Amino acid sequence: MPKQLVLGRQRRTNPFVWCFAIVCSIIAVSVIIVGVVVFSGYLAIRPKMPLLSLQTSRLDRVSYNQAGVLAVKMMIKIRAENHNQKAHASFYDTKLLLGYHGVNIAQLVADPFDVMKNESLELNYVVESLPVPLPPEEQYLTEQALGRGKVMPFYVTGSSRTMWKVGPLGSVKFSLHMNCDLLLPVNGSAVNPRCSTKSH
């Protein structure tokens, strides 16, 4: 005669497992909702990175003596641009260096400022450097440029920080870095390098 199977009581799932599963489900749903909101906000606002761009520069005066000491007067125009349609941008910690042949000759700074949505702001610098002694090789190159009425190689390098609000996405902060080369005619002609910052 076959034995009858006796079924025991079924084991119940631990309440802790149920709680863990519920919490995981809530987190997953929340992540999906936040992702949809962020993506929708991005599509609606289409944020664009504010930037600084070097617009115009001009070498107004060059003072150079036989001791190899250089001093210059220059005009530099930098434009702060905010192409966001729905958010104004703030710029701060703006510190740029003007250099010649690897020698820093002046610093360009700006107090914190705001640029309204879809607008730009001009930063006009009139730079008069202190007399700077040049190394022998730079002395030779400077004498060649001045003697032949050619161009002198300058550069503008440095950084700025920017912050802007992107609707429901909150505030966004970025560092902007500028590294622009300038070849300026010694005859005082203005040049338009159109060099812009890169974000990091």
Side-chain angles (χ1 to χ4, degrees), residues 46-103:
R46 294 189 180 277
K48 297 180 180 179
M49 181 71 63
L51 55 88
L52 297 175
S53 61
L54 189 54
Q55 294 292 303
T56 309
S57 56
R58 184 181 67 238
L59 184 59
D60 291 327
R61 185 177 70 241
V62 180
S63 175
Y64 181 77
N65 60 29
Q66 293 183 343
V69 177
L70 175 73
V72 298
K73 180 179 179 182
M74 297 174 58
M75 181 279 295
I76 297 176
K77 181 183 292 184
I78 295 175
R79 178 180 296 167
E81 302 179 37
N82 177 21
H83 297 291
N84 287 294
Q85 299 285 341
K86 300 181 180 180
H88 80 276
S90 299
F91 292 80
Y92 59 99
D93 288 345
T94 303
K95 297 177 182 178
L96 305 173
L97 289 173
L98 171 66
Y100 172 74
H101 269 307
V103 179

Side-chain angles (χ1 to χ4, degrees), residues 31-47 168-169:
V31 169
I32 292 172
I33 292 174
V34 170
V36 170
V37 170
V38 170
F39 184 69
S40 300
Y42 179 84
L43 291 179
I45 299 172
R46 294 189 180 277
L169 307 183

Side-chain angles (χ1 to χ4, degrees), residues 147-179:
R148 297 177 182 176
K150 292 187 176 182
V151 295
M152 298 180 69
F154 294 86
Y155 61 84
V156 177
T157 183
S159 63
S160 179
R161 292 185 61 82
T162 183
M163 177 181 68
W164 75 102
K165 286 191 174 181
V166 188
L169 307 183
S171 297
V172 180
K173 296 181 180 180
F174 276 95
S175 293
L176 305 177
H177 296 273
M178 178 174 282
N179 189 8

Side-chain angles (χ1 to χ4, degrees), residues 87-169:
H88 80 276
S90 299
F91 292 80
Y92 59 99
D93 288 345
T94 303
K95 297 177 182 178
L96 305 173
L97 289 173
L98 171 66
Y100 172 74
H101 269 307
V103 179
N104 294 332
I105 60 176
Q107 187 173 30
L108 313 177
V109 297
D111 293 329
F113 60 92
D114 292 338
V115 180
M116 297 298 104
K117 56 187 178 182
N118 204 30
E119 291 187 7
S120 62
L121 179 69
E122 302 285 353
L123 303 175
N124 296 302
Y125 294 95
V126 177
V127 182
E128 293 195 59
S129 73
L130 295 174
V132 178
L134 298 178
E137 184 177 351
E138 280 66 34
Q139 292 180 29
Y140 172 77
L141 294 174
T142 301
E143 291 167 3
Q144 292 293 311
L146 293 175
R148 297 177 182 176
K150 292 187 176 182
V151 295
M152 298 180 69
F154 294 86
Y155 61 84
V156 177
T157 183
S159 63
S160 179
R161 292 185 61 82
T162 183
M163 177 181 68
W164 75 102
K165 286 191 174 181
V166 188
L169 307 183

